[in-house]
Amino acid sequence: MILDKINSPADLKKISVSELPVVANEIREGLFNRLTKIGGHFGPNFGFVEATIALHYVFDSPNDKFVFDVSHQAYAHKMLTGRKAGYFDDSRFSEDSGYTNPDESEHDFFNIGHTSTSIALALGLAKGRDILGKKENIIAIIGDGSLSGGEALEALSVAGSELNSNFIVVVNDNEQAIAETHGGLYKNLKALRDSNGKSENNMFKAWGLDYIYEENGNDIASLIAVFEKVRDSNRPVVVHIHTQKGKGYELAEKDKEGWHWCVPFDRATGKPTVNFGSGESYFGVTSQYIVEKAKKDKDFVVVTPAMPMSVGLGPEERAKLGSQYIDTGIAEEAAVAIASGIARRGAKPLVVTNMTFLQRAYDQISQDVCINKTPVTMLMNYSSFDGLTDVTHLGIFGLAAFTNIPNLVVLCPSSAEEYISMLDWSIDQKENPVLILIPGNAVSHRPSDKNYSALNRFKIEEQGEKVAVIALGDFFQKGEELASAIKEGCGFTPTLINPRFASGLDKELLSSLEKDHQLVITLEDGILEGGFGQKIASFYGPDKMLVKNYGLKKQFYDRYNPSELLQECGMTTEQIVEDIKALLK
Amino acid sequence: MILDKINSPADLKKISVSELPVVANEIREGLFNRLTKIGGHFGPNFGFVEATIALHYVFDSPNDKFVFDVSHQAYAHKMLTGRKAGYFDDSRFSEDSGYTNPDESEHDFFNIGHTSTSIALALGLAKGRDILGKKENIIAIIGDGSLSGGEALEALSVAGSELNSNFIVVVNDNEQAIAETHGGLYKNLKALRDSNGKSENNMFKAWGLDYIYEENGNDIASLIAVFEKVRDSNRPVVVHIHTQKGKGYELAEKDKEGWHWCVPFDRATGKPTVNFGSGESYFGVTSQYIVEKAKKDKDFVVVTPAMPMSVGLGPEERAKLGSQYIDTGIAEEAAVAIASGIARRGAKPLVVTNMTFLQRAYDQISQDVCINKTPVTMLMNYSSFDGLTDVTHLGIFGLAAFTNIPNLVVLCPSSAEEYISMLDWSIDQKENPVLILIPGNAVSHRPSDKNYSALNRFKIEEQGEKVAVIALGDFFQKGEELASAIKEGCGFTPTLINPRFASGLDKELLSSLEKDHQLVITLEDGILEGGFGQKIASFYGPDKMLVKNYGLKKQFYDRYNPSELLQECGMTTEQIVEDIKALLK
């Protein structure tokens, strides 16, 4: 392999341009090796192999600095910067995070996993460079629908006016987000593609940036030529390149959405090689509910910032929803505010995405929704410690972030029945903004109340004595386990409580516990700080009641083993029973 | 007055077009009456009188629906929709909030105070209308620099592709934000103004919206004509009107930044009629520090999302900062991410704005800054209950929002010396992202430590017994007061602690208190939920130590009296001493 000789960008520059397509093929073999075995981002990486080679051929990393948006397309960059082993050596896959990571390499400047950040981060590098009086190329690389995010648009506008120095934005236009793109700006990209960059009303030029178009975004020689034109530019410039998402694997070229990301698969057939089981999943429960609800209630409308798959809405389900579905593209802020407007007008919006991405709309939830008490329902996927474990995609911060916003009802269902009841109640009620956390554990079943209008009513699932276990949401099952272990280990029956609401306390119920309980245990699926249990500790602060809060540490965990993490945080049933014995002494 | 006959938009429509300029003059008299006496937003309202009249003349509010961005320019709208008394009757000023408010009128659809929300909120109304099968005009009105905010740009892009029905965006272009505008998109607005709307590279057309330009934005007849053209449009359309900020008052026309907002003033001279005292202020202390720091440290750079005045940086100070100052325009997300890039490149960024606006950058603080541990310092004005009291501008949510983000050091200084020491330490250190809350009380003086590298070290300012008072930041003075009152009322000396850090606990110090203290009191300037004190309650939860947390309720307070609010929350010194006596029994 030529790639054997390439351990740094300097090595790449020794290869002749005519041999570079061979390097591209070799890189794709590395991609295949890793992705067929452990999965990951497929389409974005396969489409960006040639561009990555050309970028490293023309620019001088790490003196010149690349910032990759989302950084899920940076696998080829990793292979060219000394990290081939993470792709070719099966025993070393775990060395590469799947995103850029300064701990891995001096060629990476940020740990990135959310969209639309690259232009602003790179602009900061450029401003810092200017402040320090240095010279180098700063290059932001953005694609896969990220350009429609507010942070990217803000930064693009700032670049067009506030920086009179080198700054290069590579718009990697593969005509696709994860699903199809949404947003007027993609009309402009299309017009520019269709006119070979010559269309009038060029959004980049409108904002004061220079602009170059390159149609052959998977041709290394063409890309080298265009990057050489802008190298050492002393003005902000956009290089708009047209690439093919999933390039080099026919199945992925045809089904761009399906192959944005992949699980381990068989290269010959494209079929997954892991078994997900055939049982119920919250994805399935949710998408089925949504499609049925839309059918029988024409005022119901789903709003998503480019994350329909977060609740299992594939192309087929979306077609069924028709005009009762609006994808804002990557635009969390607008999605939440639009939902507020929809609710104010009298229709019934449901916002769906992953918990970690909702952080983008923190202010909109507070100002546009909660101050206005518009009955928006927000349904969050991956809001558990036991979901995505990349540091940029953790679901463990949601309780701390959102339970402290006034007027927002945060519901944590503990079973499928409770989940659907809460969802159904929330969508139809007109009084409250509601955030619902999709349970992160396996689907479980238990009878549920139907109405949640009386806010903050906790539910005693089993009356006991001495110790009360308040186990929130998908940790209720751990609560049940703990209650059994207490019975067995301590010789008495504790009270087991399903709080259901994470955003307020059932003060009456909590006060009633003081009569025959000495200790309250809280369990929650998230960090402790700012979350659920600390509110209970504060409630009992002036009283004799002992309180022990269990939750994760306030920490950016990265690629952890979920059960080891619970142990590290002292949250296994055995550990908690030991604590209880000590506290009751 | 003609205005005497106008109690609703229907009344306005009975007036002939030729008489409408008289109505405009009368409205300005109402503005003068209110603004000279109680202050408020001056320039935005004076500039938008004619447009407001024309909008209400052409459209049929509240069936047709207006959404005003920031809604600080809605005074004339209020006068035309039955709320004249709030402008002409001095005894009824308080009836009008200064922003749109659905509790005041059926002509207002949202409580709005943050920027850049109008397009998304209105787009939601339009989508809701379509879902319900109704017909009406939906009009978003945006100006004063708000268009550069990510939420506005996201929504504009969504409007250009996802809505094929009536939707009208009025871009009120007065060539100004609060200070001068920043951002490439303002280059496009200028090019459009200069070409009477005919410039190539029209950003609105680029994104799929129709577009009309009207140069005479303060001429009622011209505006009526242009609004009639777009009324009942079945496509999203932008109406770009050129208005004069501060129109009708020479001083305001000349000094647009100075007259964006005003305190009570004398109409003849423009001079304030309230006395601010000549003593020190944290504004003054801050701007002086910044200018001096920039002079002696060329790596230091101030980043602000259009809020230089939040730390007293007027045109003169900004001129001194030169290239060590970057205003991103209204673009909080980009500002924070740019600061992260600046820090990563090795320069020293300081982000300044108001606490409430930082919510916009919640995700950027978490992902772009804190995961990356870039040494960004963020300095927040109005982070106290005793600052801005409009529901949309409260500073009381900052501790709950930001102290739970890992890696972020939140510092709460209790005196001018401590404030400047913290700022100086933070800007120069390279280890941590830091958020500093500018104290909301009067400047006080006390010797201070210089180095805060040992994180989460609380400081015992007076050693005592039985009760420990932990009083955070600008509430330390209340702690001193409380300690004195305890001495007097309870007959012993309590321990008084200045925690300084709000984002982590000094566990060693807290543990040491268990020896000779029974009760810990926490005082903080913000809501209790998710904030500082609850972390301490959780720490002591499993122990005998009693803890009583004092802070505000999780509630959207609106236009409150600060000292009454403290009383309502049981936080006066007298109330707390009574509580302590009861708890020690």
Side-chain angles (χ1 to χ4, degrees), chain B residues 73-149:
Chain B
Q73 78 293 61
Y75 292 6
H77 162 75
K78 292 192 173 201
M79 286 192 231
L80 294 175
T81 53
R83 288 170 279 178
K84 280 174 299 192
Y87 297 83
F88 289 96
D89 182 343
D90 298 9
S91 70
R92 295 176 64 185
F93 286 156
S94 67
E95 291 177 16
D96 271 8
S97 71
Y99 299 94
T100 57
N101 187 342
D103 293 336
E104 283 179 10
S105 168
E106 62 174 354
H107 296 274
D108 294 3
F109 296 90
F110 299 96
N111 223 317
I112 297 178
H114 282 198
T115 69
S116 315
T117 72
S118 60
I119 301 177
L121 290 171
L123 188 54
L125 291 178
K127 178 72 186 172
R129 172 202 62 201
D130 295 350
I131 285 280
L132 299 175
K134 305 289 182 184
K135 298 265 176 215
E136 76 237 5
N137 289 279
I138 305 286
I139 305 103
I141 293 136
I142 186 165
D144 291 306
S146 293
L147 201 59
S148 53

Side-chain angles (χ1 to χ4, degrees), chain A residues 211-232:
Chain A
Y211 174 87
I212 297 184
Y213 181 73
E214 176 50 57
E215 170 61 22
N216 302 309
N218 291 98
D219 180 72
I220 298 175
S222 303
L223 290 166
I224 288 175
V226 72
F227 293 142
E228 280 180 344
K229 262 189 235 170
V230 298
R231 185 178 56 199
D232 302 328

Side-chain angles (χ1 to χ4, degrees), chain A residues 107-118:
Chain A
H107 296 273
D108 294 3
F109 296 89
F110 300 97
N111 223 316
I112 297 178
H114 282 198
T115 68
S116 314
T117 72
S118 60

Side-chain angles (χ1 to χ4, degrees), chain B residues 449-492:
Chain B
D449 292 346
K450 295 284 177 211
N451 191 309
Y452 296 85
S453 299
L455 301 180
N456 305 327
R457 291 279 172 83
F458 294 2
K459 192 173 182 186
I460 294 181
E461 300 279 359
E462 180 166 19
Q463 180 70 54
E465 54 167 351
K466 288 185 188 166
V467 173
V469 175
I470 307 182
L472 184 68
D474 56 15
F475 271 25
F476 182 75
Q477 283 174 274
K478 288 188 199 303
E480 288 182 307
E481 229 180 87
L482 177 62
S484 298
I486 293 171
K487 266 183 230 179
E488 219 166 283
C490 306
F492 63 87

Side-chain angles (χ1 to χ4, degrees), chain B residues 253-331:
Chain B
E253 291 177 8
K254 282 185 183 158
D255 177 10
K256 293 192 172 75
E257 179 175 345
W259 285 89
H260 175 79
W261 193 83
C262 69
V263 295
F265 68 98
D266 176 68
R267 185 167 170 178
T269 64
K271 296 257 187 288
T273 51
V274 285
N275 186 354
F276 293 104
S278 54
E280 286 181 300
S281 75
Y282 279 108
F283 283 98
V285 168
T286 309
S287 68
Q288 193 188 342
Y289 171 84
I290 287 175
V291 169
E292 283 169 14
K293 174 75 181 166
K295 205 169 160 186
K296 63 184 187 221
D297 186 345
K298 291 303 169 194
D299 296 352
F300 170 68
V301 55
V302 175
V303 182
T304 187
M307 289 296 290
M309 65 296 299
S310 70
V311 291
L313 298 177
E316 198 183 313
E317 288 80 13
R318 304 199 297 265
K320 284 184 191 160
L321 293 173
S323 67
Q324 288 175 273
Y325 172 80
I326 177 169
D327 182 342
T328 61
I330 292 173

Side-chain angles (χ1 to χ4, degrees), chain B residues 212-255:
Chain B
I212 298 185
Y213 181 73
E214 176 50 59
E215 168 61 22
N216 302 308
N218 291 100
D219 179 72
I220 298 175
S222 303
L223 290 166
I224 287 175
V226 73
F227 293 143
E228 280 180 343
K229 261 189 236 168
V230 299
R231 185 178 55 200
D232 302 329
S233 156
N234 58 8
R235 290 250 314 129
V237 56
V238 168
V239 182
H240 178 186
I241 66 174
H242 187 195
T243 63
Q244 185 174 16
K245 196 162 182 170
K247 173 88 175 174
Y249 189 55
E250 204 185 337
L251 290 166
E253 291 177 8
K254 282 185 183 158
D255 177 10

Side-chain angles (χ1 to χ4, degrees), chain A residues 109 151 157 184 333 344 554, chain B residues 109 157 184 333 344 368 503:
Chain A
F109 296 89
E151 184 177 352
S157 175
E333 301 181 89
R344 179 51 46 91
K554 184 175 78 171
Chain B
F109 296 90
S157 175
E333 300 181 90
R344 179 50 45 92
D368 298 343
S503 47

